[in-house]
Amino acid sequence: MRLLDYADLCDRGIKYSRCQLWRLWKEGRFPRPVKLSVNRNAWAEADVDEWISARIAERDHTPAAA
């Protein structure tokens, strides 16, 4: 299992601020981080990949506005 830090998320195109990621997580709209230490969080790569796939599927199944 691979863990992704904040820089890894940015490299994958997830350019949210740390505060926005926290808000999304609290709303259940982003994967829950793994607490590595008091000041360090990471995300399971599989969870992030699943989240990205869900966003793509959501986009592909939403009818375009006319």
Side-chain angles (χ1 to χ4, degrees):
M1 178 183 298
R2 182 166 183 245
L3 295 176
L4 305 174
D5 64 11
Y6 182 72
D8 293 326
L9 294 180
C10 292
D11 290 344
R12 287 174 176 251
I14 302 169
K15 306 255 185 201
Y16 294 124
S17 69
R18 286 175 170 88
C19 289
Q20 183 63 17
L21 288 173
W22 182 81
R23 281 189 214 106
L24 290 171
W25 167 68
K26 285 298 206 180
E27 295 170 359
R29 296 174 40 210
F30 195 76
R32 184 177 182 170
V34 176
K35 194 76 165 164
L36 300 177
S37 69
V38 175
N39 293 315
R40 190 129 166 101
N41 290 319
W43 291 264
E45 182 178 40
D47 292 345
V48 173
D49 288 344
E50 185 178 316
W51 180 83
I52 292 169
S53 294
R55 301 292 71 75
I56 292 169
E58 185 178 286
R59 175 203 65 192
D60 293 345
H61 290 98
T62 302

